[in-house]
Amino acid sequence: MPETTTTFEKLFKGLFDTEYSTVISVKDFLMCIAVSLAVGIILALGYMFRTRYTKSFVVTLALLPAVVCVVIMMVNGNVGTGVAVAGAFSLVRFRSVPGTAKEICMLFLSMGAGLISGMGYLAYAVLFALVLTVIFIIYNSFSLGTKRNDRIYKTVNITIPEDLDYSDVFTDIFKEYTRSAELIRVKTTNMGSLFRLTYNIILRDNANEKEMIDKIRCRNGNLEISVSKQETDISEL
């Protein structure tokens, strides 16, 4: 029986291990992975609460702690090397699709939980995941920083005839109803016979949005006008 155990352990011994190296037992290895997967599920479920998400990103959150945990364990306690390698893994998510601040935050949380598990502090990893997930849900439920933006920060698209000078045609209207108005895009449409102007505006607190639109309609010949919530540019946090 002892010979069988020794042979089994040799299967998991590294080629470059020395007598001074600490070899992780299979039992401890599996325990750390199991806890990391459980932590990943906790973080993934927390992220899904009242949040728009994709299946691929949720699966990534669930698996990332286990991946980071294995990396930390395999570098034999060299945390600096482990963090560098695990950090490189997180960049793969953003090679083609930019990530939002919320996604980046959750990736760092997953990596942090995996790092704690890989260092052997399994109880701290679970506690870290539970506390941060609860805080994330609380902050997300409050919708901090969104109500005011929805009410006064708007994007206005206005279609005008080609013979209308767009440089300051709506300046007086915006001055009356907005705190600021910035022309961010000019686009030709309808075979060049029309211009489509896009403004980012900040409405005054007591501004009548419908009244402003009616005045713009009189100025642009009753062509198409659209007002929408102003979105933060996807490349910005």
Side-chain angles (χ1 to χ4, degrees):
M1 186 67 179
E3 294 182 359
T4 304
T5 304
T6 303
T7 304
F8 179 76
E9 290 178 349
K10 286 182 178 179
L11 292 175
F12 296 94
K13 184 176 177 62
L15 295 177
F16 306 107
D17 287 347
T18 64
E19 57 182 3
Y20 302 105
S21 301
T22 302
V23 181
I24 302 173
S25 67
V26 177
K27 179 182 177 181
D28 292 341
F29 181 82
L30 293 177
M31 185 182 300
C32 290
I33 290 182
V35 171
S36 298
L37 290 174
V39 166
I41 292 295
I42 294 173
L43 294 173
L45 292 176
Y47 179 79
M48 293 168 62
F49 182 77
R50 295 185 180 180
T51 303
R52 296 177 61 184
Y53 58 86
T54 61
K55 180 179 179 180
S56 61
F57 186 71
V58 171
V59 172
T60 299
L61 284 181
L63 293 179
L64 187 58
V67 174
V68 176
C69 174
V70 171
V71 171
I72 296 299
M73 288 190 293
M74 291 299 101
V75 296
N76 290 328
N78 190 334
V79 179
T81 304
V83 170
V85 175
F89 290 162
S90 67
L91 298 179
V92 176
R93 167 70 175 89
F94 306 105
R95 286 178 59 188
S96 57
V97 181
T100 63
K102 189 181 295 185
E103 289 175 335
I104 296 173
C105 175
M106 289 306 298
L107 282 176
F108 274 114
L109 291 182
S110 295
M111 291 173 57
L115 190 149
I116 296 172
S117 298
M119 295 177 65
Y121 299 103
L122 303 184
Y124 278 115
V126 175
L127 182 62
F128 170 82
L130 289 174
V131 171
L132 269 296
T133 299
V134 170
I135 293 176
F136 175 84
I137 291 175
I138 292 174
Y139 285 174
N140 202 37
S141 298
F142 286 155
S143 299
L144 297 176
T146 58
K147 292 182 178 180
R148 184 171 176 82
N149 286 353
D150 290 343
R151 183 164 57 88
I152 67 173
Y153 287 78
K154 302 288 185 177
T155 296
V156 182
N157 293 294
I158 307 173
T159 302
I160 64 173
E162 62 175 341
D163 58 349
L164 193 63
D165 184 9
Y166 59 78
S167 58
D168 57 356
V169 63
F170 303 113
T171 301
D172 57 331
I173 298 176
F174 287 139
K175 186 176 181 180
E176 179 181 357
Y177 292 96
T178 71
R179 296 178 183 175
S180 67
E182 180 185 6
L183 179 62
I184 60 172
R185 183 168 62 246
V186 178
K187 179 181 178 181
T188 60
T189 184
N190 197 26
M191 301 295 292
S193 62
L194 301 173
F195 284 105
R196 178 168 294 174
L197 313 179
T198 301
Y199 292 87
N200 279 341
I201 67 172
I202 304 177
L203 290 171
R204 297 185 184 277
D205 291 333
N206 59 348
N208 188 329
E209 187 175 311
K210 182 182 182 304
E211 188 176 306
M212 180 188 71
I213 294 176
D214 289 339
K215 288 189 177 182
I216 295 175
R217 287 171 54 206
C218 295
R219 193 73 58 86
N220 79 331
N222 206 27
L223 293 174
E224 180 183 359
I225 300 172
S226 67
V227 180
S228 60
K229 182 178 69 173
Q230 187 178 129
E231 299 288 349
T232 303
D233 188 77
I234 196 168
S235 63
E236 299 178 356
L237 295 181

